[in-house]
Amino acid sequence: MPPLLALIEEGCELVAVLTQPDRPAGRGKHLRASPVKQLAQENGLEVLQPESLREDVWLEQLAVLQPDLLVVVAYGLMIPARLLALPRLGCWNVHASLLPRWRGAAPIQRAIEAGDPQTGVSIMKLEVTLDTGPVYHRLSTPVGPLDTAATLHDRLAVMGAQALKHCINLATKDELPQPQAQNDAEAIYARKLSKAEAELDWNESAEVLQRRIRAFNPWPIAWCEAGGQRLRIWQAEVVDDVAGCKPGQFVVERQSLIVATVEKSLKILEIQRAGGQRMTAEQFLNANDIRNW
C-alpha cells in the first residue's frame, strides 16, 4: 500500500495496477478485494487481476499500455521473461531486505529470527531468477529488541515507498545510476514460513525462542503444549534462569509467568489459549492454575 500511495501522491502516470484476483475472506467466505485494488479504484486507476501472467491475453493487454516501468511489490506471481523485457526502464522490485541477504519469500521474519542487527529495503531490477537482479538503491533500519514481523513490515513498507520515490525521481531526470550487481557469495535464502516450525522447543535458548516469537507474530504465531492444551505465545522477554527448573517447566515468580529453557528463561507477556482471546500473562494467571505444569 505505501508504495502505491507514494506513486499516486507523486503524480506518476499510472496506466494500470495489477493485483491478484479477489479471494474469499471472513466467516462468510465472500470475495474481498485486496487493499491495493481498493486504493487503486478510489483513485480512478485501471485494475487488472490476472490469475497468471503467462497467458498471452494479459501480455498483449499490457503491451498495448506501453509502460515505461513496471514496479512489483509482494505480488506473489511469477513475472515471465517476456513481461520483464516489455517496459523501457525494465521491472523494479521493492524487496524487504538488504540484498543479497534474505532473498526469497520471508525476508522480514528470517531477519528477526536470525538476530540481524539491521535490515532494510532494496530497489532491485527484476530478473527471471529469484531476487538475483542488480540493485539501484538500499535503505537500512535497525531491528529493535521489541520488533515483530508486523512492526518491521509496516516500517519497511514506508521505507520501500521512500526508496522507490528516490529512484523514480532520478529516472525522470535521466540521472539514475546503473544498478550494482549482487554478490551471490553473500546470498542467504529466506525460506517460506510454515506452521510446523512455529512450535517452541524449550531445549533451545531463551534468546533464540524470543526471536522466533517476534518473527512469527502475526503469523504463524509461536505455540507450545502445556497443561494439556495448546498455547499461542504472542510476546515474551528473556530473563535469568529459574533455579531448579527443567526446560519447558512453567513457574510463577513474583506474579510473572516464566518458562525455563536450556539457557535462561522466558517471561511470557502475552498468551492465548486455543479458541480463546489474546491476553496478558497476568490475566492468564488469574484464570488458570498452572501448579501441575
Side-chain angles (χ1 to χ4, degrees):
M1 284 276 287
L4 175 57
L5 184 58
L7 295 179
I8 293 171
E9 292 175 345
E10 283 290 293
C12 296
E13 182 184 354
L14 303 178
V15 294
V17 175
L18 278 72
T19 185
Q20 292 204 28
D22 299 352
R23 306 295 187 192
R27 291 185 177 181
K29 296 299 180 182
H30 300 297
L31 290 179
R32 180 180 298 174
S34 70
V36 168
K37 179 179 179 179
Q38 295 176 38
L39 178 61
Q41 290 180 328
E42 289 168 2
N43 286 273
L45 301 174
E46 181 177 1
V47 176
L48 305 177
Q49 296 181 274
E51 287 281 359
S52 169
L53 289 172
R54 297 185 183 279
E55 300 174 7
D56 288 343
V57 61
W58 291 109
L59 293 172
E60 292 167 2
Q61 188 169 351
L62 290 170
V64 169
L65 295 174
Q66 296 182 313
D68 291 317
L69 175 67
L70 181 67
V71 177
V72 179
V73 185
Y75 183 47
L77 294 179
M78 292 297 295
I79 312 296
R82 287 170 58 192
L83 181 52
L84 293 178
L86 179 63
R88 177 176 62 86
L89 296 174
C91 300
W92 297 357
N93 176 228
V94 183
H95 185 80
S97 81
L98 298 174
L99 291 169
R101 189 168 179 82
W102 302 125
R103 295 173 176 173
I108 296 173
Q109 295 88 342
R110 299 307 178 192
I112 294 174
E113 185 183 20
D116 288 3
Q118 69 171 1
T119 187
V121 294
S122 302
I123 305 298
M124 173 193 68
K125 187 171 184 178
L126 275 175
E127 295 180 340
V128 175
T129 47
L130 181 66
D131 297 336
T132 59
V135 176
Y136 287 102
H137 186 53
R138 296 179 180 88
L139 289 177
S140 64
T141 182
V143 179
L146 300 180
D147 266 324
T148 65
T151 62
L152 194 52
H153 168 276
D154 291 350
R155 189 159 78 250
L156 292 178
V158 174
M159 292 174 59
Q162 295 169 344
L164 180 60
K165 287 167 60 176
H166 172 80
C167 290
I168 286 180
N169 286 334
L170 291 178
T172 57
K173 295 183 288 187
D174 200 25
E175 296 177 359
L176 184 69
Q178 288 297 310
Q180 299 299 305
Q182 296 184 42
N183 184 349
D184 291 340
E186 296 177 354
I188 299 178
Y189 180 65
R191 70 185 186 282
K192 186 177 180 180
L193 299 178
S194 71
K195 290 184 178 180
E197 65 179 311
E199 182 177 7
L200 297 175
D201 180 356
W202 303 114
N203 288 306
E204 293 185 281
S205 73
E207 182 179 334
V208 167
L209 294 173
Q210 195 260 4
R211 293 201 305 259
R212 193 164 296 149
I213 289 167
R214 293 190 291 117
F216 295 167
N217 178 351
W219 194 91
I221 302 299
W223 63 273
C224 66
E225 297 280 353
Q229 57 188 312
R230 177 171 290 199
L231 302 172
R232 305 174 90 187
I233 311 299
W234 287 84
Q235 190 177 4
E237 64 182 26
V238 179
V239 295
D240 291 335
D241 284 320
V242 178
C245 291
K246 299 178 181 179
Q249 184 174 344
F250 283 66
V251 295
V252 178
E253 189 172 85
R254 292 190 290 275
Q255 298 182 318
S256 295
L257 180 58
I258 310 293
V259 190
T261 77
V262 72
E263 182 181 335
K264 295 193 173 183
S265 298
L266 277 182
K267 178 181 177 181
I268 307 301
L269 301 178
E270 192 173 7
I271 192 169
Q272 180 182 17
R273 295 176 64 178
Q277 295 183 336
R278 291 169 61 174
M279 62 182 68
T280 65
E282 182 180 2
Q283 292 170 326
F284 182 81
L285 289 173
N286 288 336
N288 294 271
D289 183 357
I290 69 161
R291 284 177 293 181
N292 296 321
W293 291 13

